[in-house]
Amino acid sequence: METSSAWERYLRWNTAICETVFTEMQAGRPVYLDMDDGVLAKVSSRLSLSPEDATRELTEAALSTLVLDCGPTDVFRAHLQHLARWRRSVGRSENQGSQLKPPPTVALLAVFTLAAETMGSDASFAAHAYYPRLASVLKVDNEAEQERLQFAYRSAAEQLWRGLNDWLTFADGRYGVPTAYALSHRYVGLPLSQALIRAADRRHLTQMFRQFGLPPGSELPPADMARMLDTWIQQVPCPASKNLERLWQRAGARERIAEIAATELLSWDNTLAGVVTASSGRKAGDVHLIAQLQRFPQPALQLSFLATMPAGSPPEELKVLSAEGGPTLDMLPLAGGSVRPRSAADIDSKSMAEGMLHVADPRTGIEARRHPRRLVPLRRDEQTNGFVECERVQLGEDFLLLIKDEGALLNQVTHLLKKVARPGYKTYSSMRGLPQGWALTTDLQVLVAPALEPKHADLNALVPVISSQLSIAGGLKLPGNLRKWSRLCPPEIRAVSQLEGDLQLTLTRTQLDTGDVSECKEWRSSRGLLLVDLAEQELEDGDYELKLDGGGRALQRSVLRLRSSNTPDRWSWETASRLAYDLQTPRAAVTACRVNREAGTGVRGALSPRPMSLVHAVEPHDIGAVWWSARARAKREGVPIVIASPDPKSCVVTGAHRIELPPAVGRPTASMTSGTCTQCGLIKRYPTWPRPSRRRSERHDLELDQSRWLSSIAEAEVQRISRDDALDALVHLGGGAASSLDRVATQVDSSAIAADSFRRSLEALGHVDLARDERMEVTAWAIGPPCLAEASDKTFFLSGAWSEAARWKLEVAVDEAGGKFSYANREQGPTTWFVEELTCDQVSEIADDPDLGSLLPQGTTPGVVPEAAMALLRTLPSLSTVARALPRVPLPGARRIERFDIASASWEPVQTAASPGAYRLESAFRTLYVFRTETDVEQHAGAIGTAQLVKHLEARRLGRPLLGYYPSSERLAVPLGADLPGLYGRAAVLNSGRLPGTASKSRSLVYHDVPDAVASRLYDLLAS
């Protein structure tokens, strides 16, 4: 019977468990309420209890809050009431951020998992008997009370477990990613999902993922995962832990283990936990090709490689042992400990595709090898926003296909794709960046497995080894702890089954503040395929669950989270550093820095502080028109690194593989049979999931039927992500490391140049502030405060953290005040929104409306900035002051040196950097931009800057700023590639809210609507 003292005791346990299990160390990782001995010891320590008494004390505390001597609905009534009150607090917690207190039901759930844990160890009850074990753990001996407990649990279990999942979701993954889901056995499966296998068991699963060629972050149905686990565990010696091997022998536990393994695969980031090669017994890494596909304005391919080493920290360098001289490459760290070359421009792409790539970490000696392949599938990877080489295609996912164009291979691939792929794919025989002698297939989605097994070993890469798939593909994937997509650019749902013709896909939505679950949509198919474009469904921000059923059973489930600027990521907003251009430090004119959240100084977005000293009016200058040469110089091509080629008679060249298969004994029980080429190590897998027995003639008829059916399916379309969608995603995030900004930018355009241009355009518009390190590389970003910045024509444009809802509210307010709300689309940047025909006082009155502020993220308030451009210019230091403040470094070595010539506004090759000037230094896979004065030359040093900054520093040194001005049209020009750096560029853009346009004839960038006074002030700052 519940009493206040009983609840106080219980809630102490609830707090201690949450503080032990759900910590920020789990951010972004699957988290389990696994009450093993180690966790219980930590919890009991927090409560000053003996570990030996922990289980008894916890179960007694939980039992004291239950009502077992009345009706079944009374057993958990108090817990459900506390949970309902907690949910109501969620609706009032907009200002609490992700630090909302956990639900008061976690300790009770922990008792449920204690009962589930005994299912793997004791023999007192039947292996699948959960309810007797729950009664035993709670010391409920009365038979009537046991029945009430069972009935009550079945009635309340989903509500109670959903509370935990919703809290973790509401906290945006700050304390871990929720895992309490059950595909079948909907009640008992929930505690089993938490406690059946331990953390040590789960760590072994990554070895299985790697062995079977499963791509990181992929979705696999539990039925297929179970067959793979069975194959893996049956190996001698067994690679799984002893506990997992023992659990697997119990048929009733296999489905739960498979569901947990599928969850771990979805969150796996390719981290290797000490992989050992069978042949040498030494640790080895992985190396795969990675491709970036640029689609606009013309298709282009950039080919590089991705290496993953089983070491404590990712290597900063890799030595290419298979290239002449063993050059060392500078590597860029990525998620999961993977690295890639900082630039792929100097690697010969043909030799990289055809050669034997062999790299080593000079620090640890760990090596990784990649054998060449004639047919290379590359899977869309959410972490890198590229396409990463994988063993084979999977059903319903997005792939590129790199095909050696020799012999009959290309024709064979083309013939096979007509039978298995969704219409809309394209094959190119030539493309910028595509290796000569190779073809590339883009926009590939395989929807069915071949009816006939391909005879050629290379074509085995086009045979999926899973029987069904529910995938969420495309759309704008949002960075963060939770897997989520932009509501403005949602993904497509693809459900495919090779075994079940009748499919049913159900979409339900959970309301976090009430816990209510409602069915939103349902789709059916009789052909084993469902394609759902969510952009046509007009879904709201929220959390949805997808469930795929076929043949009267549940096949797979997945969680779909849609977000926008209207639902900011609380964790990201709270943990992102507050950035400002603190102009008390002159270098801040070109880089923001971290400041105290209470600090009010510094430039943030379009907001500028008052100048610290009186700024005198500037006399107009006769700046003159464009004076640099309009003739572009030809680019000098470097000598690429060439990877050694294999023996021309090798099977990797001829395709004549010798596949050795294990002996077949009886009926296959595993999901696949694997064979290995005895010459090159190529792995060929054959799916053994049960398919209907057909004669060969029937299979030919099936192929024809599939081909006709596939041709009737809607073509795969390239989903172009707009810059408006990307900006909305950044407002949702609020800020973070440079990697999160890049993950959004590269989904707009995958090229590094385009991503850099996108970052700088957002900085110029005041949408984001960028922090740079001493090498001037972006390390962090923060969304600018929401502002209404006054342009030179007395209109106001929106800058910074405006949510979609706040923008619509502003439009209504402007219309009611008699003004005009308009927009201008910009191809090179996001849409600019304008408030016209209102005075500054009227705009300020609208901005002060608390209803408008309530729609902005995380307590931000809109600011009105009169004369935004000139207000910023009054605070900026001269460029010479910035030059003196830049840190000096010893001049690094370089294999190629170029010097910037201001007359031609281009880089010219030189032998040395021994004189003052702006230089571009290219070394092994890194390019540095350096400016040197006379003093720097004497001290053998230089100042590192961006390409744009060093050009303007050189022009200032020579007494002629890189500016041209046309007073009649108020256009300010700079050479192409010499955008005004940092806040100088922002000041030019704030005049109009428009990014500079390109004037091809004069090789110039043109800033619009720049008044004479602003142009003169900029000239003074850049010249002095």
Side-chain angles (χ1 to χ4, degrees), residues 779-799:
T779 57
W781 68 279
I783 199 75
C787 291
L788 288 157
E790 186 180 24
S792 61
D793 62 356
K794 303 303 179 183
T795 63
F796 294 81
F797 67 90
L798 277 63
S799 175

Side-chain angles (χ1 to χ4, degrees), residues 167-242:
W167 170 57
L168 294 172
T169 298
F170 188 85
D172 289 303
R174 179 175 193 158
Y175 308 115
V177 176
T179 57
Y181 302 102
L183 184 62
S184 59
H185 301 282
R186 52 192 291 192
Y187 310 119
V188 176
L190 292 166
L192 285 175
S193 70
Q194 303 298 290
L196 191 59
I197 65 175
R198 299 291 174 82
D201 304 327
R202 293 193 293 269
R203 284 193 290 269
H204 281 80
L205 293 174
T206 59
Q207 299 179 23
M208 189 271 283
F209 301 156
R210 183 175 184 266
Q211 177 180 328
F212 284 93
L214 299 176
S218 58
E219 297 182 89
L220 206 66
D224 287 301
M225 179 65 79
R227 285 191 285 269
M228 291 186 185
L229 282 165
D230 194 46
T231 304
W232 181 61
I233 291 175
Q234 286 180 22
Q235 296 177 103
V236 180
C238 178
S241 66
K242 293 295 183 183

Side-chain angles (χ1 to χ4, degrees), residues 1-14 57-58 60-66 79 82:
M1 198 67 144
E2 61 165 311
T3 64
S4 59
S5 60
W7 269 95
E8 289 176 4
R9 177 189 180 193
Y10 167 85
L11 290 174
R12 286 196 296 272
W13 273 97
N14 200 82
E57 290 279 352
L58 171 59
E60 288 179 356
L63 181 62
S64 67
T65 64
L66 307 183
H79 283 274
H82 279 275

Side-chain angles (χ1 to χ4, degrees), residues 761-767 797 799 830 832 986 989-990 993-995:
S761 68
L762 294 177
E763 183 183 35
L765 287 163
H767 291 315
F797 67 90
S799 175
T832 303
R986 181 176 293 182
V989 170
L990 288 179
R994 299 169 58 190
L995 293 170

Side-chain angles (χ1 to χ4, degrees), residues 616-751:
H616 299 284
V618 177
E619 292 295 327
H621 289 284
D622 183 12
I623 300 174
V626 167
W627 52 268
W628 48 87
S629 173
R631 180 178 300 177
R633 294 181 181 269
K635 293 184 178 179
R636 190 181 72 169
E637 299 294 336
V639 179
I641 293 174
V642 177
I643 308 299
S645 300
D647 185 340
K649 297 180 181 179
S650 167
C651 60
V652 298
V653 177
T654 64
H657 300 283
R658 183 183 178 88
I659 303 296
E660 186 177 82
L661 293 170
V665 180
R667 189 184 180 103
T669 59
S671 66
M672 63 182 72
T673 298
S674 301
T676 304
C677 177
T678 57
Q679 301 176 64
C680 73
L682 178 140
I683 297 175
K684 184 176 181 182
R685 303 190 198 274
Y686 304 85
T688 61
W689 38 266
R691 289 182 282 185
S693 177
R694 295 185 177 93
R695 292 193 299 269
R696 188 173 183 85
S697 60
E698 292 177 324
R699 294 183 183 180
H700 279 295
D701 293 340
L702 179 60
E703 279 190 339
L704 292 174
D705 180 55
Q706 284 183 349
S707 297
R708 287 192 293 267
W709 170 62
L710 283 171
S711 64
S712 67
I713 295 173
E715 290 191 358
E717 295 183 359
V718 178
Q719 188 176 19
R720 187 170 185 181
I721 296 170
S722 73
R723 287 166 171 78
D724 289 339
D725 296 339
L727 178 57
D728 186 86
L730 297 178
V731 175
H732 164 77
L733 294 171
S739 57
S740 64
L741 174 57
D742 289 343
R743 285 186 64 183
V744 173
T746 53
Q747 292 182 75
V748 178
D749 192 313
S750 63
S751 72

Side-chain angles (χ1 to χ4, degrees), residues 97 111 118 183 220 294 382 445 450 484 520 586 594 715 902 906 915:
V111 173
T118 64
L183 184 62
L220 206 66
Q294 177 182 320
E382 294 177 352
Q445 298 170 23
K484 55 190 175 181
C520 298
R594 291 171 173 82
E715 290 191 358
I902 67 169
S906 61
S915 59

Side-chain angles (χ1 to χ4, degrees), residues 704-960:
L704 292 174
D705 180 55
Q706 284 183 349
S707 297
R708 287 192 293 267
W709 170 62
L710 283 171
S711 64
S712 67
I713 295 173
E715 290 191 358
E717 295 183 359
V718 178
Q719 188 176 19
R720 187 170 185 181
I721 296 170
S722 73
R723 287 166 171 78
D724 289 339
D725 296 339
L727 178 57
D728 186 86
L730 297 178
V731 175
H732 164 77
L733 294 171
S739 57
S740 64
L741 174 57
D742 289 343
R743 285 186 64 183
V744 173
T746 53
Q747 292 182 75
V748 178
D749 192 313
S750 63
S751 72
I753 294 176
D756 175 67
S757 175
F758 183 61
R759 284 194 301 263
R760 289 186 287 107
S761 68
L762 294 177
E763 183 183 35
L765 287 163
H767 291 315
V768 302
D769 297 325
L770 301 178
R772 295 176 169 86
D773 60 15
E774 291 191 352
R775 291 181 175 270
M776 295 302 288
E777 293 181 353
V778 177
T779 57
W781 68 279
I783 199 75
C787 291
L788 288 157
E790 186 180 24
S792 61
D793 62 356
K794 303 303 179 183
T795 63
F796 294 81
F797 67 90
L798 277 63
S799 175
W802 284 91
S803 67
E804 182 187 44
R807 192 173 67 241
W808 290 121
K809 175 71 174 176
L810 177 65
E811 180 177 4
V812 172
V814 168
D815 182 66
E816 291 176 348
K820 180 181 177 183
F821 196 71
S822 63
Y823 66 91
N825 289 321
R826 309 298 181 199
E827 183 176 347
Q828 70 274 33
T831 298
T832 303
W833 299 84
F834 293 93
V835 174
E836 303 177 20
E837 301 175 7
L838 292 180
T839 66
C840 187
D841 289 342
Q842 289 175 302
V843 173
S844 296
E845 184 177 349
I846 292 173
D848 290 338
D849 183 357
D851 290 339
L852 178 62
S854 68
L855 298 174
L856 293 169
Q858 298 297 96
T860 53
T861 55
V864 178
V865 189
E867 297 182 341
M870 189 55 77
L872 176 57
L873 282 174
R874 292 190 182 103
T875 69
L876 293 183
S878 65
L879 194 60
S880 60
T881 305
V882 174
R884 289 192 296 270
L886 292 175
R888 263 54 184 180
V889 298
L891 196 67
R895 64 179 182 179
R896 183 187 305 164
I897 303 174
E898 293 175 307
R899 180 174 175 174
F900 184 69
D901 176 62
I902 67 169
S904 62
S906 61
W907 297 100
E908 296 186 342
V910 293
Q911 294 299 315
T912 69
S915 59
Y919 294 92
R920 180 162 65 183
L921 309 178
E922 296 186 17
S923 57
F925 289 80
R926 173 171 288 198
T927 299
L928 290 178
Y929 295 91
V930 177
F931 174 70
R932 307 191 77 192
T933 63
E934 291 281 1
T935 303
D936 293 329
V937 172
E938 294 172 2
Q939 297 177 353
H940 306 286
I944 295 178
T946 63
Q948 298 76 23
L949 176 60
V950 299
K951 292 174 182 179
H952 285 280
L953 290 175
E954 172 66 352
R956 190 212 65 80
R957 185 184 71 85
L958 297 176
R960 193 169 190 187

